[in-house]
Amino acid sequence: MKNSIKFCFALAAMLSVTRVAFSQNTLSSYDDLGRLELTSYVSDQIEYLPVVARNNLQSKLARAVNQYGLGGSTSNGRFIITPNVSVLSKNVIASAPASIAVVLDIGLFVGDGVSGTKFSSGSITAKGVGRTEAKAYINAFKQISPENKEFKRIIEQAKPKILEYYNTRCDFILNEAKVAAAQNKFDLALLHLTTIPEVSKDCYTQASALIPELYNQKIDNECLQKVNKARNAWATDPSSAGAAVAGKILASINPNASCYKDAVKLSKEIGNRMYELTDRKWDYILKQQELNAEVQKASLETTRELMNAYFSNQPQTIMYNVHGWW
């Protein structure tokens, strides 16, 4: 009895991005401005800050920014919120066991971490008590929250300046994306475009027109690489094991890529040969693109998910310039 093995290609949705175009760049509502993004960054310039407290401060800032609606998809964002911590007082409380009490001046600064331009600043005085100095710091950092009036003031003061960057530097940003794409750095190119906030309406619209083009270049480039990789895997090991390796590679190819037909051709060649060798018939189910309103509506979310997936595990690589901020 012949066994039937189904070789399935994964369904991939082409990013047919549909965004609303506007004719003017205006500072509209709080919700619009909330679409801007900030990256939390704790500088090594902060002295005498325990490592565990430093890591806690980084996480605390990131959570506060995210709760405020300004959380970013990458640890390498251009615009940052960064703290400086000064100890106003530190005392040992005689108890069993002894505790440490600290009073901290937590300076908060928002700006362009690449150019080194500070947009806004302020400070929060916080008290913390703990059995160790690190725990005392961590308890003090709990007072950093999106509900804190000073935190809100610092963020709100910086927002228009972040928007101004996109409005006045749009051509430069778009060119950066094109240069990255020319170097086959398509994820980075798309990151440049998808981080442009919708409130920067003209620039957002121009980026929207460029995203499908660069995304198609991305999937075409990946398709060529995967077809070649699958062909090499099959040529190296023309057996059931080699077919499985090649098939897994081919199944990951986006059906909207220009070389998809080459993937189908190679799959058929492998299937025919496997039938000769094993007397097994392969049924090919090619799932094609469903171009409907729901796919188009989800296109922007799909793009952002792509960027999140790429950058979620990326280490910080930007050397931020915060010289003179405090």
Side-chain angles (χ1 to χ4, degrees):
M1 179 179 180
K2 296 180 180 180
N3 295 319
S4 178
I5 302 175
K6 293 187 177 181
F7 193 126
C8 299
F9 284 89
L11 171 64
M14 179 176 65
L15 293 179
S16 171
V17 178
T18 54
R19 291 174 168 174
V20 180
F22 296 87
S23 61
Q24 296 180 349
N25 292 304
T26 58
L27 293 178
S28 48
S29 67
Y30 171 84
D31 289 339
D32 280 337
L33 288 173
R35 298 185 184 119
L36 300 173
E37 294 186 356
L38 282 179
T39 295
S40 59
Y41 166 66
V42 178
S43 171
D44 291 335
Q45 295 181 26
I46 303 177
E47 298 180 343
Y48 311 117
L49 185 62
V51 174
V52 65
R54 180 187 300 275
N55 294 337
N56 177 268
L57 179 56
Q58 174 83 41
S59 299
K60 185 65 178 178
L61 267 181
R63 286 196 299 270
V65 168
N66 187 60
Q67 291 171 7
Y68 202 78
L70 298 176
S73 60
T74 172
S75 59
N76 292 282
R78 183 182 190 97
F79 301 104
I80 62 174
I81 178 168
T82 186
N84 182 43
V85 180
S86 300
V87 179
L88 299 180
S89 68
K90 180 172 67 174
N91 299 292
V92 176
I93 300 175
S95 60
S99 297
I100 297 177
V102 296
V103 179
L104 307 178
D105 179 74
I106 306 172
L108 295 175
F109 308 84
V110 176
D112 185 334
V114 177
S115 70
T117 304
K118 180 175 66 176
F119 293 157
S120 63
S121 63
S123 65
I124 298 172
T125 300
K127 299 178 180 180
V129 178
R131 292 187 177 180
T132 66
E133 184 175 352
K135 290 182 179 179
Y137 274 84
I138 290 171
N139 287 329
F141 294 156
K142 291 179 180 179
Q143 296 174 46
I144 301 175
S145 75
E147 288 77 28
N148 184 283
K149 291 183 179 180
E150 185 66 358
F151 182 88
K152 289 182 178 180
R153 183 194 66 77
I154 296 165
I155 296 294
E156 292 303 318
Q157 185 177 339
K159 280 182 176 179
K161 297 177 182 178
I162 296 175
L163 177 59
E164 182 182 3
Y165 170 85
Y166 290 107
N167 289 344
T168 59
R169 302 272 291 173
C170 185
D171 290 343
F172 177 77
I173 298 171
L174 298 179
N175 187 63
E176 275 189 327
K178 293 176 182 177
V179 170
Q183 298 172 346
N184 291 335
K185 299 176 181 178
F186 296 104
D187 291 314
L188 179 59
L190 288 168
L191 179 74
H192 284 306
L193 300 178
T194 56
T195 51
I196 296 173
E198 188 174 357
V199 67
S200 182
K201 302 184 189 303
D202 288 347
C203 194
Y204 184 88
T205 301
Q206 292 181 62
S208 300
L210 189 57
I211 285 175
E213 176 186 342
L214 297 191
Y215 183 75
N216 286 334
Q217 290 179 24
K218 168 187 165 65
I219 63 174
D220 288 347
N221 179 267
E222 291 176 347
C223 180
L224 290 172
Q225 293 180 16
K226 290 179 179 180
V227 167
N228 288 333
K229 186 176 180 180
R231 184 176 286 114
N232 291 336
W234 173 242
T236 301
D237 182 12
S239 66
S240 296
V245 172
K248 185 176 182 180
I249 297 170
L250 294 174
S252 67
I253 294 177
N254 190 313
N256 295 296
S258 60
C259 77
Y260 184 66
K261 60 184 182 297
D262 296 325
V264 174
K265 181 180 179 181
L266 178 57
S267 298
K268 290 181 178 179
E269 292 175 4
I270 296 174
N272 291 336
R273 180 55 179 162
M274 288 304 299
Y275 180 78
E276 294 175 358
L277 294 175
T278 65
D279 197 32
R280 294 181 179 183
K281 182 180 179 180
W282 286 21
D283 296 327
Y284 296 88
I285 302 176
L286 305 182
K287 296 183 179 180
Q288 300 297 331
Q289 169 63 45
E290 297 178 6
L291 291 177
N292 54 44
E294 288 304 313
V295 170
Q296 294 182 1
K297 181 180 179 181
S299 59
L300 179 57
E301 287 74 12
T302 304
T303 309
R304 294 194 181 279
E305 288 174 4
L306 176 71
M307 296 302 98
N308 287 336
Y310 178 74
F311 282 94
S312 60
N313 294 317
Q314 297 297 312
Q316 181 194 318
T317 57
I318 293 180
M319 298 297 293
Y320 289 120
N321 175 18
V322 294
H323 179 71
W325 284 25
W326 58 78

